[in-house]
Each structure stands twice: as structure tokens, then as C-alpha cells.
Amino acid sequence: MTGRGRGAYADIMTVPAPGYCSAAAEQLLDFVFAEVWQRPNLTRRERRFVTLPCVADADAEGPLRDHVYAALSSGDVAIGEMQETVLHFAVYAGWPKASRFNMVVDQQWERIHAERGLPVPAPEPLLPLTTPSDPEQRLCVGEQSFKDINCLPYAPNRDNPFQGAGILNFVFGEMWLRPGLGVKERRLITVACVAFQDAPYPILSHVYAALKSRDLSFDEMDELALHFAAHCGWPKAEHLGQVIAEQKQRVTAEWAGESEATS
Amino acid sequence: MTGRGRGAYADIMTVPAPGYCSAAAEQLLDFVFAEVWQRPNLTRRERRFVTLPCVADADAEGPLRDHVYAALSSGDVAIGEMQETVLHFAVYAGWPKASRFNMVVDQQWERIHAERGLPVPAPEPLLPLTTPSDPEQRLCVGEQSFKDINCLPYAPNRDNPFQGAGILNFVFGEMWLRPGLGVKERRLITVACVAFQDAPYPILSHVYAALKSRDLSFDEMDELALHFAAHCGWPKAEHLGQVIAEQKQRVTAEWAGESEATS
Amino acid sequence: MTGRGRGAYADIMTVPAPGYCSAAAEQLLDFVFAEVWQRPNLTRRERRFVTLPCVADADAEGPLRDHVYAALSSGDVAIGEMQETVLHFAVYAGWPKASRFNMVVDQQWERIHAERGLPVPAPEPLLPLTTPSDPEQRLCVGEQSFKDINCLPYAPNRDNPFQGAGILNFVFGEMWLRPGLGVKERRLITVACVAFQDAPYPILSHVYAALKSRDLSFDEMDELALHFAAHCGWPKAEHLGQVIAEQKQRVTAEWAGESEATS
């Protein structure tokens, strides 16, 4: 690794760069840390919310542990935000991978406190929830939240277990509405997750909604694609890039139409 | 493909086998349909609940469509069971892939009715739920259900969003308890999902619980591993096989201890 | 396992076959080692470059370790080639999984030398690179290399971070051009990676380019699909098989057109 690569690695990972591996690995480390992470349009903190789902998806225990440690140790991500990230990731990437992510978060949080000679603070209590408990009211909240977050005029039919018990009741009726993680951070996590999950419609709908809501600018979304490529591989990133290009056009056309309609 | 392979394909897929592809593909089709699907210990219906998560995970639109069609068209899986399978899959494999699975189920259900000249029946209503609505009660139900289904004497700490709002409130407080899909079918789906998700602890815990609960026999679990191998690949199946071997020993030892304790 | 299966396993894996697992597992091992690996059209060495990305993707630590050991220990793959394989894999499958692959390579290389009582040789130095350092020149080299390797008459727009900083500057301006791994081997790795990554366009474009460039013959590509099926599962392989069938037709038609044009 070059001196610049070593410095960038130590800055981002909060530990010294590893010793010499192979020529091939060194070159990749230089590219990822000294080039990609240094670019404008997404802050280092925002890049954490793209990186964490990528490493949690990849099942590579070492990188997951290192990035969780770095995000918490640097102070870029608070423990409550990290735990909400795990729940959000569980929904979009599956609970088994989230279960390991959750364990790693607990371990690294303890490790950081042990290294600093501090006790681990007590967790925030779960109850009371901020969302309604009555099933009919939850579904109504979920329907509105589904429309708002997806920038769509309709919500799915509730009389289907996946859509009713899952999407409306839990994902949009509860999970997206939880305080403790900003909507921009949820957008970054979601786009990363749908991009590695590959199912075509969710990639399209979440890229669209992130741009349409203006939660992510066009430049931020392009930057997300590059950061994602470096951490989840080029083929998935190439597909994401195509979807982004199409959805930018769609959103631009819709904004032009809305601007005409209101002028 | 041999005549035996063609017959097996038509029987399982409910449509004629494809024309000649390549010698390599023919050999694989023969192995999968004329050997694997014909083996004892898991019925054709039970093999559907292993196959469906594998093809829904793989993002291969064609095989997913074909297997959903075959499972419904053969009458092996009822539409309500298929829809519960989608929700269960969503939790263990992530909502984006489940979203596509859900769309494919709707399309194939309509296609089957169109082919038969029948109207699509109205869906079952979602409400009322069979589980409590009060948040504290739901968590208590979730804690008990977590212990029962995982064959564990404890439940996770609820003051962690992933564990409290996710696992206890929704996954075990609601999803696993929904009527409309048997526990054996949920075991088959879950083991397939944790096996392709790769996170080490969930594979171990769900293989253990499926065996310990006697919901799956040792022979059924071995058969699941072979069926999984044919649909998700040999490396993940090899890992699953190792976990199964270890958990069989653990469960056998525990049963021996319990039998001594009660004699 | 049959005697033939045991012999094939020992030959390919360079260690004795495991003891009896289950009837189901034995049948699979026989199929994979005594049938698939023994087939014509791809050599044992070439099958290594399909197997390695599949096991590195699958996150099954045991099979990854065993196949890295076998590839190096058999002498089929030199250490420098293996390290280039890790870098190539990183680009197409993502950095976190490659990071683990890289560690496993180091460990197995040390293990082989320890078993033989030999010191681990010093690694090849990274510098000097064979590609230009000047950013403008790198982009030009990347554009030409993109066209050559993808068999396309155009290169993507450089004024986009993913395409410019990623694809042109690094993937085609540097990585594909590195000496130390042949283009045929890079084709085998790439097709395996895009096939398990699932993003639709890269599967199509890399299968097309591998056939159009004549780096892989039609028969070799069919064989790759079967080998991939055995290691990454049947649904993804079925999708790959469909793409191969379409791209064979496209390439055949293009060659016919070119032959007419020059006659």
C-alpha cells in the first residue's frame, strides 16, 4: 500500500493498516481507501451507512467486525443508530444475516468500552412504541407511510399476508417510522440492500423514491453507486447504475411536469 | 435427457420437459429430476418448501415462475400456504426478494385460473389477528414462542431494536404463529433460507431446533441437505451438511441425558 | 461414496475423501467428483477457476479452504495466479468476500509450505505497474481495453464516478490488463461471478464477450454452466444456460454477417 493508502486506511478504520499482503490486495486497498472513500458528495459518516449493509451481506466476519468497530469508535455512528441500522438491515437483507450483525455490534460495543476502561451504558427501553397498537390503526398508519416513503399514490392490498401482516403492519407501520435513525440514513441503507438483493422492482422503486423525495440528490446517488461497487462488486453496481440513470430521467420529467402544473 | 428424466420433469413441473439443450445440461436435469426428486424421506410436497426458497433466492425469474406454477398447479401447495411461504421467506431472506416472489405468486395464480377458465377467488381477510395487539402482551407471547420454536430456555433481551421490535414483536410474536402454514413446512423453509443466507449461528440454531423438536427426523434433514445442494449448490450444502452432523450428535446426547433423567 | 467417487475426490482435492456422511451426501459427492469434474471440454485446471469464485461467494469457509489448498497443492494454480484471482474476484463479487478469500489463500499457502518443511517464498513486488500512471492516459487505456474485452464499439461516459473512476480507471484501465493471469482464466472467473451475482446485464455482456472473442468455445461455455450448476445451484445455472443459448445465437449470426461482409 502507498503511504497515502495507509493513512486513509488508518483514518477510516481507526486502526493501523495491515502489513504487506499481496501486490493484488495492496492495489485494491489503495483504490478503496485512498480513492473511493476520499471522494466528495457523500461524507465519511454517510459512507458508513452504505458500507455496513454491504459487509453485513457479504458474510465476511472480519470486514464486518472491522467496519462496525470503526463506525462506532470514530464516533461517526451512535450506538442507537447502529442498532436501528441492524433492524433496518434485517428487513431488507433477511434476519439470519442481521442476527450475526447484531451479535457483532454487541461485541464491538463491549470491546470499545473495555479498551477505554468504561462500563457499557444501559440500553434504551423498547416500550412505549410511538406507533399505534390497534391492528386496524396500524394498517392505516402503514398505508399512509407506504405512500409517503415510496412516493406512490396507492398502498398494496392488505388481504395478502406478505403485504398486510408484513409490509403494511410491520415494515411501513412500524420499522421505517421508528425514531433514532434519520430518513437519509435509511435511504442509504435501503438502496444498498436492494442493490445486493437483486430483485428488479425493489431496486427501481427505492432508487426512484430516494431521488423523488429529494432525500438523496442525483450526485449523492451516483456516489452511492461507486461506493457500493467497491464493496459489493461491479456487476451489481453496474445494474444499479443503469437503474439510477433511468430513474433520474423519470424524476426529472415528473418534476418538470409538476412545475408546469403549478406555474 | 433420458426418458426417465423427461417423465420425472413433466410429473414435477406439470409441463413437458424442454427440448435438447446441451449434453452438460441434460445430465444435470436427469440428476435433479430423475434422481434427487424421486428419493425417499421427503415427499414431493415437502420438497416444494425447500425448492421455493432456493429459487426465490437465486433471482432467476424463469425457475421461480416455473416452480410456483408447478407447486400450485399440481395441488401440492394451496394458495394460502404459498402466500404464507412468501411472508416467511421475506423474514428469512429479505423483503426485496420476497416482493418479487409475491408478484410471481399473484401472476401464476391468475395464469392457472385463466388456463382453466375460472375466476380468481377472493383473498382471505387479514384481520382479525390471532395474536394480541397490546405491545407488552405481544412481547410476552413472542418471548414464549421464541423459546418454544428455538428449543431454548431463554429469550433475547427486548431492549434492543432488532431483538425487541423485530424478533420478539414480529418474527416470533406474530409471523411464526400465523395459522395457514404448518410448523413442519415452516421448518423446511427456514432451514433452506438460513443455509443460503450463510450466517453461521442461525444455521446452527435452526437445524438444532428442527431436529430437537422432532419436527424433522434425522433422515428428513439429510434429505433436505441433498435437495438443497441440487438447488443452491454444493459449497453451501457442504457447510449445511457439517452443521447437520454436529447437531445430530448434540441432539442425540441431549435426548440420552433427558431419558436418563426421567428414568 | 463409490470407489470411483473416492478416487476422484482424492485426485481433485489432494486429500482423502471424507468418511461416510449420509446416503444423500454420498450421492451428491459421486455426482460432483466422479461425473462433473471428469467431463471433457474444460481441464481440471480450468475447472479450478470456476470453482474458486463459487466457493468464495458461498461463504462456506470449509469448502473455500479445501479448494484453495487443492488448487495450490496440486500445482494446477500458481500462487501468483491465485492472488490475481482474488483481485479479479474482488471486483466482480465485492471487496468483503475477497478480503476473506485473500486471508484463506495466505493461510493455505503457509500450510502447504509448513507441511513440506519449506520456507514461504518472498512475494512478487507490486511496482512498477505495466499500465500508465497519468490519469488521462489511464482513462484512454481503460476505454480501449473496455472495448476490446467487451467486444463493443464504444466505452461508457467517463464523467460519472462509477464509470470513470471505477470502470475505466481501475477495472479496465488496470485490473484486466495485469499480467499474471491469462485472459481465458479471467473469462472463466468473470462468467462464474456474474452468474452468481445475478445482475441481468453483466451476465449477458460477459457471456457474449467470452464467446465473441473466441476466448471460450461454445462447448467450453456449456461445460462451464454445468460445473457452475454443481457448485452454485441449479436455478442460477438454469438462468445462465438460457443466457448462453441466446448469446450463442447472437454470436453465430454476427459471425455469419462478418463472414459475408469479408467474402
Side-chain angles (χ1 to χ4, degrees):
Chain A
M1 226 183 304
T2 62
R4 199 166 146 256
R6 300 202 154 272
Y9 184 99
D11 180 52
I12 294 160
M13 301 309 287
T14 73
V15 294
Y20 181 82
C21 332
S22 68
E26 298 273 307
Q27 179 161 15
L28 189 68
L29 283 163
D30 271 343
F31 179 69
V32 172
F33 290 99
E35 302 294 328
V36 174
W37 277 82
Q38 307 306 318
R39 292 177 50 87
N41 292 322
L42 287 178
T43 66
R44 196 180 73 176
R45 169 179 152 86
E46 287 163 349
R47 291 177 187 275
R48 304 279 190 199
F49 292 101
V50 182
T51 311
L52 287 166
C54 288
V55 292
D57 175 63
D59 301 311
E61 190 91 4
L64 175 58
R65 189 186 58 222
D66 297 347
H67 278 288
V68 166
Y69 178 86
L72 293 170
S73 166
S74 63
D76 285 346
V77 178
I79 183 64
E81 291 176 316
M82 182 64 86
Q83 289 171 330
E84 288 295 330
T85 298
V86 173
L87 177 61
H88 199 103
F89 174 84
V91 165
Y92 285 101
W95 300 76
K97 291 187 192 235
S99 167
R100 192 229 336 252
F101 188 3
N102 190 51
M103 276 192 285
V104 169
V105 169
D106 283 351
Q107 287 161 2
Q108 298 307 308
W109 188 232
E110 280 174 33
R111 173 184 161 200
I112 288 166
H113 286 79
E115 286 176 356
R116 297 178 187 181
L118 295 170
V120 177
E124 294 291 309
L126 178 64
L127 301 179
L129 298 178
T130 58
T131 43
S133 304
D134 175 71
E136 175 62 33
Q137 282 185 7
R138 277 180 81 81
L139 287 171
C140 291
V141 166
E143 283 160 356
Q144 187 57 50
S145 151
F146 181 94
K147 293 179 200 172
D148 293 344
I149 291 164
N150 290 294
C151 303
L152 287 174
Y154 56 85
N157 170 15
R158 56 166 76 174
D159 291 336
N160 167 303
F162 170 71
Q163 294 168 4
I167 291 284
L168 298 178
N169 164 65
F170 181 66
V171 178
F172 290 95
E174 166 69 27
M175 196 273 296
W176 271 89
L177 300 178
R178 290 178 57 80
L181 192 61
V183 71
K184 185 173 188 180
E185 287 78 9
R186 292 190 185 275
R187 294 289 191 193
L188 294 169
I189 298 166
T190 307
V191 173
C193 287
V194 293
F196 62 66
Q197 278 264 328
D198 299 312
Y201 185 70
I203 302 184
L204 187 158
S205 67
H206 282 291
V207 166
Y208 167 76
L211 296 173
K212 186 70 192 287
S213 63
R214 300 182 203 265
D215 289 332
L216 295 183
S217 73
F218 286 15
D219 285 348
E220 288 171 329
M221 187 62 91
D222 283 340
E223 203 58 39
L224 191 165
L226 175 63
H227 197 91
F228 177 84
H231 292 83
C232 267
W234 301 89
K236 294 197 185 213
E238 187 177 338
H239 179 61
L240 175 61
Q242 286 174 349
V243 171
I244 291 171
E246 290 161 12
Q247 296 307 311
K248 279 184 191 169
Q249 290 195 335
R250 176 181 166 197
V251 165
T252 303
E254 289 181 1
W255 282 339
E258 289 161 20
S259 153
E260 264 175 46
T262 58
S263 68
Chain B
M1 225 184 305
T2 60
R4 198 166 146 254
R6 300 204 155 269
Y9 185 99
D11 180 53
I12 295 160
M13 301 308 288
T14 73
V15 294
Y20 180 82
C21 332
S22 68
E26 298 273 308
Q27 178 163 12
L28 188 69
L29 284 164
D30 270 343
F31 179 70
V32 172
F33 290 99
E35 301 294 328
V36 175
W37 277 83
Q38 306 306 319
R39 290 177 51 86
N41 293 321
L42 286 178
T43 65
R44 196 180 73 176
R45 168 179 153 86
E46 286 162 350
R47 290 177 188 276
R48 305 278 189 199
F49 291 101
V50 182
T51 311
L52 288 165
C54 289
V55 293
D57 176 63
D59 301 311
E61 190 94 3
L64 175 58
R65 191 187 57 223
D66 297 346
H67 278 289
V68 166
Y69 177 85
L72 293 170
S73 165
S74 63
D76 285 345
V77 179
I79 183 66
E81 291 176 315
M82 182 65 86
Q83 289 171 330
E84 289 295 330
T85 299
V86 173
L87 177 61
H88 199 103
F89 174 85
V91 165
Y92 285 100
W95 300 76
K97 291 190 191 228
S99 167
R100 190 221 346 241
F101 188 3
N102 189 50
M103 276 192 284
V104 169
V105 169
D106 283 351
Q107 287 160 3
Q108 298 307 308
W109 189 232
E110 279 175 33
R111 175 185 159 199
I112 287 167
H113 285 79
E115 286 176 358
R116 298 179 186 180
L118 295 170
V120 176
E124 293 291 308
L126 178 65
L127 301 181
L129 298 178
T130 58
T131 44
S133 304
D134 175 71
E136 175 62 33
Q137 281 185 4
R138 279 181 79 81
L139 285 171
C140 291
V141 166
E143 283 161 356
Q144 188 57 49
S145 150
F146 181 94
K147 292 179 200 173
D148 294 344
I149 291 164
N150 290 294
C151 304
L152 288 173
Y154 56 84
N157 170 15
R158 58 166 75 174
D159 290 338
N160 167 303
F162 170 70
Q163 295 168 3
I167 290 285
L168 298 177
N169 164 65
F170 180 67
V171 177
F172 291 94
E174 167 67 28
M175 196 274 294
W176 270 89
L177 300 178
R178 289 177 57 80
L181 192 61
V183 71
K184 185 173 188 181
E185 287 77 10
R186 292 190 184 276
R187 295 287 190 195
L188 295 169
I189 298 166
T190 306
V191 173
C193 287
V194 293
F196 62 65
Q197 278 262 329
D198 299 312
Y201 186 70
I203 301 184
L204 187 158
S205 67
H206 282 291
V207 167
Y208 167 76
L211 296 173
K212 186 70 190 287
S213 64
R214 301 183 201 262
D215 289 333
L216 294 184
S217 73
F218 286 14
D219 285 348
E220 287 171 330
M221 187 62 91
D222 284 338
E223 203 57 40
L224 191 166
L226 174 62
H227 197 92
F228 176 83
H231 292 84
C232 266
W234 160 243
K236 293 198 187 213
E238 185 178 339
H239 179 61
L240 175 61
Q242 287 171 349
V243 172
I244 290 172
E246 290 160 13
Q247 297 307 310
K248 277 184 192 170
Q249 289 197 334
R250 177 180 166 198
V251 165
T252 303
E254 288 182 1
W255 282 338
E258 289 161 19
S259 153
E260 265 175 45
T262 58
S263 66
Chain C
M1 223 184 306
T2 60
R4 196 164 149 256
R6 300 203 154 270
Y9 184 99
D11 180 52
I12 294 160
M13 301 308 287
T14 74
V15 293
Y20 180 81
C21 332
S22 68
E26 298 273 308
Q27 179 165 10
L28 187 69
L29 283 163
D30 272 342
F31 179 70
V32 172
F33 289 100
E35 301 294 329
V36 175
W37 276 82
Q38 307 306 319
R39 289 177 52 85
N41 292 323
L42 287 178
T43 65
R44 195 180 75 175
R45 169 179 152 85
E46 286 163 349
R47 290 177 187 275
R48 304 279 189 200
F49 292 102
V50 182
T51 311
L52 287 166
C54 289
V55 293
D57 176 63
D59 302 312
E61 190 92 5
L64 174 58
R65 192 187 55 223
D66 297 347
H67 278 287
V68 166
Y69 177 86
L72 293 171
S73 165
S74 64
D76 285 346
V77 178
I79 183 66
E81 291 176 316
M82 183 64 87
Q83 290 170 332
E84 288 296 329
T85 298
V86 173
L87 177 61
H88 199 103
F89 175 84
V91 164
Y92 286 100
W95 160 246
K97 292 191 190 222
S99 167
R100 191 224 344 244
F101 188 4
N102 190 52
M103 276 190 286
V104 169
V105 169
D106 284 350
Q107 287 161 1
Q108 298 307 309
W109 189 231
E110 279 175 32
R111 174 183 160 201
I112 288 166
H113 285 80
E115 286 176 356
R116 298 180 185 178
L118 295 171
V120 177
E124 294 290 309
L126 176 64
L127 301 178
L129 297 178
T130 58
T131 43
S133 307
D134 175 71
E136 175 60 32
Q137 280 186 6
R138 278 179 80 83
L139 286 171
C140 291
V141 166
E143 283 161 355
Q144 188 56 50
S145 151
F146 181 95
K147 293 179 200 173
D148 293 344
I149 291 163
N150 290 294
C151 304
L152 288 174
Y154 56 85
N157 171 13
R158 56 168 75 174
D159 293 335
N160 166 301
F162 169 70
Q163 294 169 3
I167 290 285
L168 297 177
N169 164 65
F170 182 66
V171 178
F172 291 95
E174 170 64 31
M175 196 271 296
W176 270 90
L177 301 178
R178 289 176 59 81
L181 193 62
V183 71
K184 185 171 188 181
E185 288 77 9
R186 292 189 184 278
R187 294 289 189 194
L188 295 168
I189 298 165
T190 307
V191 173
C193 288
V194 294
F196 62 65
Q197 281 260 328
D198 298 314
Y201 185 71
I203 301 185
L204 187 158
S205 67
H206 282 291
V207 167
Y208 167 77
L211 295 173
K212 185 69 190 287
S213 64
R214 301 182 201 264
D215 289 333
L216 295 183
S217 73
F218 286 14
D219 285 348
E220 287 171 329
M221 187 63 92
D222 284 339
E223 204 56 41
L224 191 165
L226 174 63
H227 197 92
F228 177 84
H231 292 85
C232 268
W234 161 242
K236 293 201 186 211
E238 186 177 339
H239 179 61
L240 175 61
Q242 288 171 349
V243 171
I244 290 172
E246 291 160 13
Q247 297 307 311
K248 277 185 194 169
Q249 289 195 335
R250 175 180 167 199
V251 165
T252 303
E254 289 181 1
W255 282 339
E258 289 161 20
S259 153
E260 264 176 45
T262 58
S263 67

